[in-house]
Structure formats: C-alpha cells, structure tokens
Amino acid sequence: MQFSDAQSLTFEQAEAILFEKLGTSKIMALGSAVGTHVMVRNVSCLFYDNKIYFKTDKNFRKTQQLFENPNVALCWSGVQVEGIAVNKGLVVDEPDRRFEKLYDRYLSGSYNRYSHTDTEILIEVTPKFVEIWDTSRDNYAYQIFIDFDKHEVIFKPYDKEPEQSV
C-alpha cells in the first residue's frame, strides 16, 4: 500500500487489512484484568467471521479472570485489538465444530497436546477498537485506528511524506 492510499481507508478496507494481517492463526499476547490485577499470557488464536477465537481450560486463572471482566486486549506484531471476550461453551459443543477443525489444521501440535474435551472452552473476542502500526511500500510509518462501534477509521502518519518535487 502506498502512503497516500492508506490515508483514505473506509471502515471495510481497514477491517480487511486487520484480518489480512492476522491471517488464519497467530500466537497472540492476551491481556486481561480484574481490579488492579493485570495478566498477560500467550494464546493460540484463529480468525473467522471477523472475530478472534481461542480455547482455554475453564479452570485456569485467566479464564476465571475473563468471567469477571470480559474486557481484553490482544497483541501481535504491531496489531493491538481491544475487545469483549465471550465464553461460547465447550469447544466440542460448537454446532459445526469449525474452531476444532481449524485448530487441528493450523495449530495441530497444540491441538494434539492440549485437547481436554471436558474442560476446554471456546472464547470469542469481538473487536471494539484496533490500533495497527505499519509501514507503507514507500517506507513511511503510520497508524490505523479502527473504532468498531462508530465504524470509523483514523489514519495517523508517524513519518511525514516528503514534498513532491516539480
């Protein structure tokens, strides 16, 4: 993307950039808090239906924290997503078992080591606000802020584009 192109993104274009950057799966840092107690840990994420999904054991500390405060942040390589986490129930109870199939396909090592069908729950994160740091093909740094509630995009250059010579 050229620097000038990024300045006029629509909400739909910015959302597409977000999920293009994330691809099908990533290990992301998950931040959550209850009161003043903040925790960050890595989770194996899948992306579909414009949401972020991960599984976790319903007995873990992080899960108990999510039950108390569903506000989370996820981060990977210049992409930060703030959102709301929802417990979708046991992974094996998802109607089409889409997560389970994708997890086995893209994260098979983790799938085979950490699949406890009676305690693994599916967490769905709906993005609310996203910050993307990026660099254009012409090597100018910028940020894209995506507000999902307002369907707004703010482009903020970090580097200034050079004056065009005549």
Side-chain angles (χ1 to χ4, degrees):
M1 174 180 312
Q2 293 293 330
F3 189 74
S4 57
D5 295 339
Q7 295 180 48
S8 59
L9 291 171
T10 66
F11 175 81
E12 291 76 16
Q13 289 169 323
E15 183 179 42
I17 288 170
L18 166 65
F19 286 103
E20 181 180 302
K21 285 187 168 303
L22 293 176
T24 53
S25 67
K26 295 283 183 278
I27 305 299
M28 298 184 81
L30 168 70
S32 59
V34 172
T36 60
H37 186 81
V38 179
M39 289 177 59
V40 176
R41 81 293 282 156
N42 287 329
V43 290
S44 300
C45 298
L46 294 171
F47 314 102
Y48 55 91
D49 297 336
N50 293 341
K51 296 189 180 188
I52 300 169
Y53 295 87
F54 63 91
K55 70 181 183 99
T56 186
D57 191 291
K58 65 183 178 183
N59 301 307
F60 285 171
R61 286 186 333 144
K62 71 179 168 200
T63 311
Q64 298 307 308
Q65 199 173 42
L66 294 176
F67 292 159
E68 287 188 53
N69 180 1
N71 296 295
V72 298
L74 291 146
C75 189
W76 173 83
S77 188
V79 176
Q80 178 183 291
V81 179
E82 299 167 21
I84 304 295
V86 174
N87 174 5
K88 302 301 278 184
L90 291 174
V91 171
V92 296
D93 289 341
E94 184 184 23
D96 60 1
R97 296 182 90 157
R98 185 174 179 187
F99 178 86
E100 187 177 27
K101 292 171 191 169
L102 291 171
Y103 203 84
D104 185 28
R105 181 175 176 186
Y106 295 108
L107 301 160
S108 61
S110 177
Y111 176 82
N112 291 322
R113 276 192 300 272
Y114 305 115
S115 289
H116 306 286
T117 58
D118 57 340
T119 59
E120 291 292 319
I121 59 172
L122 179 61
I123 302 294
E124 174 189 83
V125 177
T126 301
K128 301 303 253 170
F129 191 84
V130 171
E131 179 179 335
I132 300 172
W133 276 91
D134 207 348
T135 304
S136 66
R137 282 191 309 243
D138 39 0
N139 208 30
Y140 293 96
Y142 59 89
Q143 294 169 283
I144 300 171
F145 299 95
I146 309 169
D147 187 320
F148 281 74
D149 290 334
K150 296 179 182 176
H151 274 86
E152 290 181 353
V153 178
I154 297 171
F155 171 86
K156 184 176 178 184
Y158 186 73
D159 293 329
K160 301 248 185 274
E161 189 170 20
E163 298 291 325
Q164 298 292 329
S165 56
V166 185

